[in-house]
Amino acid sequence: MSKMRLSRLRQLIFGFYMSGIMSLLMSGVITFINTGIDSEFHYRWGPAFLVAWAVAFPLVTFIAPLAGKMTEFTMRRLD
């Protein structure tokens, strides 16, 4: 596989994991804050997580390169 294709694949895999972990944690916290924990918590958290991940994955995939460029710009300014 070419370096460019590997780089793109790495970006997609990173986005998959990052968005999944962040969506899992954030949807859990927000579901807890809004509804509390009871015996039905996981039934509310599951669908909230799936919606969050469906939104987060494409956003992370497209925003991560921009965030990387912004980070490099900021770091250059600090030198």
Side-chain angles (χ1 to χ4, degrees), residues 16-62:
F16 177 82
Y17 288 128
M18 177 63 82
S19 64
I21 293 166
M22 291 299 296
S23 297
L24 183 71
L25 295 172
M26 292 302 298
S27 63
V29 169
I30 292 169
T31 301
F32 167 73
I33 290 169
N34 286 332
T35 65
I37 292 184
D38 59 17
S39 63
E40 303 292 313
F41 176 77
H42 63 284
Y43 292 115
R44 293 186 304 274
W45 186 6
F49 162 67
L50 293 175
V51 170
W53 201 359
V55 172
F57 179 60
L59 289 176
V60 166
T61 302
F62 293 111

